[in-house]
Amino acid sequence: MAVRRIVCLANSYKNGGRCIAGIELLNGGFGPWIRPVSDRPARAISAIEQTCTNGTSSGLLDILDIDFGAPLPEAYQSENVLINPGASWVKSGHLPAAALAPAIHPGHAPLWPRTESTYNGHNDKISTANLPHIGTSLSLVQPATATVRVFQSPFKEAGKLDVRVQFLWAGQQNDLKLTDPQKLAVYQATGVGNYNLNNPTMCVSIGEIFLPQNAAYKLVAGLIV
């Protein structure tokens, strides 16, 4: 077991738990991406596991000291590292959003190649045949502008609003599902409409494979505005 320090950049819904992810902090600089995972089949982090020693849950930009076991890469999710379930996480600070600048994806190429589009989205789907070509499943972007789109999907019952984020990155238009629970609740409560953002920072993640469609989906797993 070894304690590693990360800045939390994703806290997203995942299979009845949460997907937590962040970048390791090393000697004042940024190291690799780390996605803490459990030893349960879905790999999700439970509410208890992400509760810190001060009694609060892990949140975006929190600096977390986590006791990890062995790396547990799975296919394209190369960043997965097993947590020690018996050790509490320690919240040791909060990183200013401006300090993330060196970790932003350079923006000279699309986030991942060979993407497809869903009914409500754009460039938000990657088929299982193309997943071996991506090698990583997390990225941090900061587009000049973005639009949060809140709407009633024809595939959901009335009153259950979908929330997606549209943005241009490296010449590629993206329209991705928002799975950041706090921001999702805010926009659903605000109601149907389009909401413009300037210079938002977003953690984009490729989620688990959805077997009925043989694909995984690009998600906005952390939205910092």
Side-chain angles (χ1 to χ4, degrees), residues 5-6 8 11 50-66 88-95 182:
R5 174 169 288 183
I6 70 169
C8 181
N11 188 328
Q50 68 156 322
T51 300
C52 300
T53 53
N54 65 358
T56 64
S57 294
S58 309
L60 298 184
L61 297 177
D62 283 342
I63 297 172
L64 304 172
D65 294 330
I66 302 174
S88 297
W89 298 8
V90 178
K91 189 177 298 187
S92 59
H94 195 76
L95 194 75
Q182 291 188 339

Side-chain angles (χ1 to χ4, degrees), residues 68-207:
F68 286 103
L72 196 67
E74 296 186 40
Y76 57 95
Q77 290 190 341
S78 59
E79 309 89 349
N80 293 3
V81 184
L82 191 66
I83 64 167
N84 173 9
S88 297
W89 298 8
V90 178
K91 189 177 298 187
S92 59
H94 195 76
L95 194 75
L100 292 173
I104 300 294
H105 187 284
H108 52 69
L111 294 175
W112 291 283
R114 306 178 187 178
T115 54
E116 306 166 43
S117 299
T118 61
Y119 180 88
N120 285 318
H122 198 74
N123 283 315
D124 59 335
K125 177 181 178 181
I126 304 177
S127 69
T128 51
N130 290 325
L131 286 170
H133 301 287
I134 65 174
T136 183
S137 64
L138 292 160
S139 189
L140 193 68
V141 301
Q142 189 180 58
T145 62
T147 300
V148 177
R149 191 163 62 96
V150 184
F151 63 100
Q152 176 67 63
S153 169
F155 304 108
K156 287 189 176 181
E157 62 185 82
K160 291 191 175 181
L161 300 178
D162 273 5
V163 182
R164 303 185 70 90
V165 185
Q166 296 177 322
F167 63 97
L168 184 69
W169 191 255
Q172 183 187 73
Q173 187 65 44
N174 297 273
D175 189 329
L176 312 182
K177 185 177 180 179
L178 179 66
T179 57
D180 174 333
Q182 291 188 339
K183 298 299 191 302
L184 185 63
V186 168
Y187 284 110
Q188 286 177 327
T190 304
V192 172
N194 293 329
Y195 306 95
N196 298 323
L197 305 175
N198 292 320
N199 298 307
T201 300
M202 297 183 284
C203 176
V204 180
S205 174
I206 300 176

